[in-house]
Amino acid sequence: MQAKLIIEGPYETRTETVADELSVGRTALADIELDDAGLSKVNTTFFVDDGYLWVADEDSTNGTFLNGERVAGRPQRLKNGDRITLGSTTSISVEITDGREEPVWKETPEEVSAPTPRVDVGDPTVVAPIAPIQFDDEGQRPHVYFALAGVMTVVMLLFGGIAYLLVLQGHSGGEQRRQTASSVIPVRVIDPLGGESDEDLNDILAAWEVAEDELVASDLDDTKVDSSVSEEQDLNVSAAFLADRQRLATEGRPPIHIRPAGLNVPRELFGDGVIKQTRKLREMRESGYQQPMDFADLAQKRLSGELIEMPMARESFYLDVGGSAQDVPFTSFEFGSPSDRREPIVPGHPKYPQLKQLADSFAGQKYDLNDPADRRQMRRRLLRMFHPNARPILQEIADSYFQRFRRPLRVTSLTRSMDYQILLTQGNANAYKVRGAGALPPHTSGCAFDLARKHMPAEEQNFLMEKLAEMERANKIDALIEYGVNACFHIFIYHDGKPPRASKFYESDYDRFPFLTGIAFREPDLHP
């Protein structure tokens, strides 16, 4: 048997032959590494056993589907023409050249006796049939025939029993071989981070970003502030102006693929930013930065000036953040065992005073903590929090893009509290699972923001990437290009204006991420 897999992804189609065993996933841990953020590290394994092709799911997050049915538990046998779907955009067609479909251990069907042909004894070319056994004068078989028949019966029973045992052994052997083949298939270990790791490059690239629901301008209130603080005087923005920016950013655009032809990704936007961002986040944690666990913590950072509020729209950008904000009562959040601890923030709760203080005067605008609509609007404003050093960088990028294309940038995430980040991951199986008090996802730092690019043709994306690469070379930012469901440019600024402590990568970083060296840089994977 010869088995081939025709693998179709968003960027390429390839054919692979399965000689023994072949695994598919989004990382180098799999035999076939695919650019699909919806895949697990090792998602699916194909293997040959007893002369047939089988498929097994490796406990993947999004599953493996055979002709629309999820593969669960034991491996499933494949036949010519089967179709497997997995991840977000990957489909695999099965091509088996000999077309065999029955198991090799199936017993041979009983032979059917052929009818006795009619013989013309006058035809000299026909051999006459063997004469029937003659009987004696009393119509009885001779004793010799009785003896011969008895011997033959014993022999037939003996060989029949042996044949039955061989067939049974062959069947159970095939079953055993199937179980053995299944047992050696590698199984993904689910760790406390939900199978993901904040130290794993592929996990961070593929899954740390989660898109919120898109904002509906008509569902927003106008922001009306009355503040003497100069940084807050530009927060007065109407929902109508936000709707105008949304329209201008996307109007006149045909549907655009996330990796259009002619897309040129600079080296700066892939790979090393993960190491630098991870190191910088670690520095923030070591210097005492406290990530906001809930919206009350965001409120405290707003009151202290550690984070500032961004206007929801300006000429050159608009904030598409807070679309998933809820109107439920505020609760506190902390990691605990066996489950995460959440308590209502009501009078008497330690976090109530800071939340009530901001609600009474959110830059001059008052919110009622008992009103669901006010709670939603307040959450949306808290999700517009940003590090003061990040605002001028976002403004510089947006102004440059607007001057070139006369369109505003769509900013899809700023700062998130930990409980909001977890809320988003619950609705997206690909999301970076944030579990544990030591985790510091980029968007809880106040130093990260995303720029949507799905609606941009290649010319606009290339312009932006050159701008981001230029700023990264000047040590102002680290930037990444992300694919998959949340196709965007991810930008991270340095909270203290300084790049990570080491000017060069540590050797351990090269050991963990060898393709970051010039020799092993995976350029073919980055360009269409």
Side-chain angles (χ1 to χ4, degrees):
M1 180 202 69
Q2 292 186 351
K4 293 183 179 180
L5 306 177
I6 295 88
I7 304 173
E8 302 174 42
Y11 316 126
E12 64 174 343
T13 298
R14 57 196 293 182
T15 300
E16 299 289 343
T17 299
V18 185
D20 181 22
E21 183 176 300
L22 194 69
S23 59
V24 175
R26 76 164 193 271
T27 72
L29 295 175
D31 298 318
I32 303 298
E33 183 179 358
L34 301 176
D35 187 4
D36 184 342
L39 294 174
S40 295
K41 297 176 184 178
V42 179
N43 198 97
T44 307
T45 296
F46 298 86
F47 65 96
V48 175
D49 183 57
D50 277 346
Y52 290 89
L53 181 64
W54 301 78
V55 62
D57 181 74
E58 300 299 345
D59 196 19
S60 65
T61 301
N62 289 328
T64 301
F65 294 84
L66 170 58
N67 300 324
E69 298 292 331
R70 186 159 190 162
V71 176
R74 296 184 61 180
Q76 299 293 313
R77 201 189 78 205
L78 298 175
K79 61 181 183 297
N80 188 49
D82 279 342
R83 189 169 183 84
I84 295 99
T85 54
L86 54 155
S88 300
T89 56
T90 302
S91 63
I92 300 176
S93 300
V94 176
E95 184 179 293
I96 301 176
T97 55
D98 64 5
R100 184 168 62 173
E101 297 183 2
E102 295 299 327
V104 296
W105 55 79
K106 181 175 179 180
E107 293 82 1
T108 304
E110 295 181 1
E111 295 182 1
V112 179
S113 300
T116 303
R118 297 184 61 180
V119 178
D120 185 355
V121 296
D123 186 350
T125 63
V126 176
V127 178
I130 299 175
I133 298 173
Q134 299 297 317
F135 294 85
D136 59 18
D137 294 339
E138 297 179 357
Q140 301 296 323
R141 294 177 183 270
H143 294 293
V144 64
Y145 291 113
F146 280 109
L148 181 60
V151 172
M152 293 182 66
T153 300
V154 173
V155 173
M156 291 176 65
L157 289 174
L158 178 62
F159 280 98
I162 295 173
Y164 176 79
L165 291 175
L166 289 175
V167 171
L168 184 62
Q169 183 178 3
H171 179 86
S172 61
E175 181 72 22
Q176 184 177 6
R177 282 190 292 273
R178 291 203 309 279
Q179 293 176 353
T180 301
S182 302
S183 65
V184 300
I185 298 174
V187 177
R188 224 165 35 104
V189 177
I190 305 300
D191 62 27
L193 287 173
E196 314 304 328
S197 167
D198 62 358
E199 298 292 337
D200 187 281
L201 175 68
N202 292 287
D203 285 339
I204 296 174
L205 281 176
W208 72 6
E209 299 296 271
V210 190
E212 304 174 73
D213 293 337
E214 188 170 350
L215 276 180
V216 179
S218 60
D219 190 36
L220 294 173
D221 287 344
D222 296 343
T223 303
K224 300 177 181 179
V225 304
D226 181 14
S227 174
S228 59
V229 180
S230 59
E231 290 81 3
E232 296 179 344
Q233 292 175 1
D234 63 351
L235 296 178
N236 286 292
V237 178
S238 67
F241 182 71
L242 174 67
D244 177 74
R245 297 294 91 183
Q246 288 178 320
R247 175 193 57 78
L248 183 58
T250 58
E251 69 175 358
R253 302 281 185 76
I256 298 172
H257 198 279
I258 62 174
R259 185 176 246 171
L263 198 64
N264 299 313
V265 182
R267 185 187 185 96
E268 289 82 1
L269 267 69
F270 190 85
D272 65 331
V274 175
I275 294 177
K276 287 186 274 188
Q277 290 187 40
T278 301
R279 186 177 298 147
K280 199 63 184 177
L281 289 167
R282 188 181 299 118
E283 288 181 19
M284 291 182 67
R285 193 162 50 213
E286 292 171 353
S287 65
Y289 177 80
Q290 297 295 318
Q291 62 263 47
M293 302 300 290
D294 47 48
F295 281 92
D297 289 345
L298 282 177
Q300 180 58 48
K301 290 182 180 295
R302 174 69 172 76
L303 291 169
S304 66
E306 185 176 357
L307 298 178
I308 62 173
E309 184 181 0
M310 293 287 289
M312 65 178 176
R314 301 297 292 166
E315 182 182 49
S316 60
F317 70 86
Y318 72 94
L319 306 184
D320 197 349
V321 301
S324 299
Q326 299 176 324
D327 61 5
V328 298
F330 289 100
T331 57
S332 65
F333 175 84
E334 61 179 307
F335 289 110
S337 180
S339 61
D340 301 331
R341 293 193 288 267
R342 300 172 188 266
E343 297 178 354
I345 300 180
V346 295
H349 190 281
K351 292 186 177 182
Y352 181 78
Q354 62 205 47
L355 195 62
K356 183 68 166 62
Q357 179 183 350
L358 186 64
D360 287 344
S361 180
F362 204 142
Q365 192 165 0
K366 182 177 176 61
Y367 294 95
D368 182 356
L369 294 179
N370 296 316
D371 184 285
D374 278 9
R375 289 195 295 257
R376 185 192 299 273
Q377 298 300 335
M378 190 171 174
R379 278 186 170 93
R380 285 173 172 167
R381 288 189 64 182
L382 285 169
L383 291 169
R384 299 173 196 155
M385 298 295 100
F386 212 22
H387 196 283
N389 292 342
R391 175 168 179 166
I393 290 177
L394 170 57
Q395 192 72 59
E396 178 183 347
I397 297 169
D399 289 348
S400 176
Y401 174 80
F402 186 80
Q403 291 171 9
R404 175 68 176 80
F405 299 104
R406 309 308 297 176
R407 294 180 186 272
L409 281 177
R410 178 186 170 209
V411 182
T412 52
S413 60
L414 289 178
T415 302
R416 297 169 178 170
S417 60
M418 193 73 80
D419 61 344
Y420 189 69
Q421 178 80 26
I422 293 174
L423 169 69
L424 296 178
T425 68
Q426 292 173 350
N428 186 329
N430 299 331
Y432 178 51
K433 304 295 192 302
V434 181
R435 310 302 299 172
L440 181 55
H443 286 289
T444 63
S445 69
C447 297
F449 60 99
D450 292 345
L451 303 177
R453 64 183 185 84
K454 285 183 178 180
H455 58 286
M456 295 182 183
E459 179 187 7
E460 295 180 25
Q461 293 193 46
N462 287 336
F463 175 86
L464 263 180
M465 286 190 289
E466 285 302 320
K467 176 65 177 177
L468 297 176
E470 173 190 329
M471 297 179 75
E472 181 160 344
R473 289 190 292 269
N475 283 325
K476 292 183 176 181
I477 64 169
D478 280 311
L480 295 169
I481 182 171
E482 296 193 23
Y483 300 96
V485 177
N486 188 37
C488 66
F489 298 115
H490 171 83
I491 295 95
F492 182 84
I493 67 103
Y494 304 130
H495 68 288
D496 53 4
K498 301 175 183 178
R501 294 192 187 105
S503 59
K504 296 182 179 179
F505 300 137
Y506 296 130
E507 290 185 3
S508 60
D509 290 329
Y510 276 126
D511 292 339
R512 288 163 53 211
F513 311 132
F515 68 83
L516 295 180
T517 65
I519 297 176
F521 186 66
R522 300 187 299 179
E523 200 144 18
D525 290 344
L526 303 182
H527 302 286

